[in-house]
Amino acid sequence: MSTVLYIKANPKPEGASRTFKISDKFIEAYKEHNPDDTIVTLDLYKEGIAFLSAEGVRMHFVEPGEGRSDPILKYAYQFLDADKYVFAEPLWNLSIPAILKAYIDYISVANITFKYTAEGPVGLCNNKKAVNITSRGGNFSEGELVVWEMGDRYLRIILGYLGITDFTTIAADNLDAREQDAEAIIAGAITRAQAFAKSF
Ligand SMILES: Cc1cc2nc3c(=O)[nH]c(=O)nc-3n(C[C@H](O)[C@H](O)[C@H](O)COP(=O)(O)O)c2cc1C
C-alpha cells in the first residue's frame, strides 16, 4: 500500500481551475485502481504556505530525524514519508506559482530529503515517483516556446535533486488561444491522465 501526496497550487475557487479538473480526474481514476492506498491532499493555499521566514531558514540546519513536529519541517518529513507525488499547478509567468516554490523551500531540507556529501548533494527520497499535471495558456510542449518553460522543468530537476527521477508530465497546452477548443484539450488531457493513473 502506498501513500500518495497530492500537492495542489491554485487559488481559484472550487471547480474553477482547469488544471484541477484534470488532476482531480487523475486522483479519481487512481483511487479506483488502488482502493487501499492513502491519498493525502495538500492544498497549498488552504494550508497557508508562506515564504520561508528567518526562523524557517534557521530550522533548515538539522540533524537526521530532528524536528518532526516543527511547523515548517513537518512538511519535509511528510514529503519524505510519501511514496508517490501528484503535483497540480498552472503555468504562471513561465514557471510554477510562487506558493509552490515556497513549498519546495519547505521540503528541500538537508539531512531530511537530501544530504550533502564530499561528492556533492545526494537525494534521500528514493524509489518514489511523481507526476506533474499542469495547464498553460500557450503551447509549451512543442515548438519554439519549449525552451521558455521553466515550471515543469524546474519541478523535474528539483525532484531529481531530492532523488525522485521517475517523473511524468501531463500538460494541457493552448488553453487561452482563442482559436483552440479549450474544452476538447482538457478532455484529451483527462483521458491521458486517467490512462496513466492505471500504471502510476
Ligand atoms: C498570473 C498568471 C500568469 C500566467 N502566465 C502564463 C504563462 O507564462 N504562459 C502561459 O502559457 N500561460 C500563462 N497563464 C495562463 C494559465 O497558465 C492558463 O490559463 C491555465 O490554464 C490556468 O489554469 P487554471 O484554470 O488551473 O488556473 C498565466 C495565468 C496567470 C493567472
Side-chain angles (χ1 to χ4, degrees), residues 58-79:
R58 197 182 65 78
M59 287 306 295
H60 267 49
F61 298 92
V62 291
E63 295 302 319
E66 199 187 332
R68 270 197 169 263
S69 56
D70 176 81
I72 300 281
L73 296 183
K74 69 176 185 182
Y75 292 102
Y77 284 107
Q78 180 190 49
F79 191 85

Side-chain angles (χ1 to χ4, degrees), residues 15-198:
S17 162
R18 301 186 288 192
T19 314
F20 292 173
K21 276 187 186 140
I22 304 161
S23 59
D24 286 348
K25 288 288 184 191
F26 173 88
I27 294 289
E28 206 179 284
Y30 182 87
K31 277 185 193 162
E32 277 170 26
H33 296 293
N34 303 278
D36 296 330
D37 282 8
T38 303
I39 314 277
V40 178
T41 300
L42 194 63
D43 184 315
L44 301 183
Y45 282 91
K46 290 184 184 154
E47 199 71 18
I49 298 293
F51 294 127
L52 210 53
S53 64
E55 174 64 5
V57 173
R58 197 182 65 78
M59 287 306 295
H60 267 49
F61 298 92
V62 291
E63 295 302 319
E66 199 187 332
R68 270 197 169 263
S69 56
D70 176 81
I72 300 281
L73 296 183
K74 69 176 185 182
Y75 292 102
Y77 284 107
Q78 180 190 49
F79 191 85
L80 180 70
D81 291 344
D83 303 296
K84 301 177 184 180
Y85 311 93
V86 180
F87 287 85
E89 81 294 330
L91 183 70
W92 275 10
N93 298 310
L94 308 180
S95 188
I96 53 174
I99 199 166
L100 181 51
K101 174 59 169 59
Y103 173 71
I104 299 289
D105 293 337
Y106 281 29
I107 61 161
S108 182
V109 181
N111 292 332
I112 300 179
T113 49
F114 76 96
K115 64 180 177 183
Y116 291 108
T117 72
E119 289 74 41
V122 174
L124 296 175
C125 302
N126 305 121
N127 305 315
K128 301 172 190 283
K129 50 167 96 170
V131 59
N132 182 34
I133 298 173
T134 187
S135 80
R136 306 152 173 164
N139 187 354
F140 288 79
S141 289
E142 51 193 22
E144 57 192 29
L145 291 185
V146 168
V147 291
W148 291 17
E149 203 288 324
M150 292 176 281
D152 179 68
R153 190 146 50 102
Y154 170 70
L155 279 182
R156 183 182 289 271
I157 292 169
I158 190 72
L159 291 190
Y161 181 83
L162 301 181
I164 304 154
T165 50
D166 186 336
F167 183 97
T168 301
T169 303
I170 296 172
D173 286 287
N174 261 335
L175 293 188
D176 294 332
R178 280 170 190 267
E179 64 279 11
Q180 299 279 346
D181 182 348
E183 288 309 315
I185 295 168
I186 293 166
I190 288 173
T191 302
R192 279 184 281 128
Q194 287 169 326
F196 183 64
K198 282 184 205 160

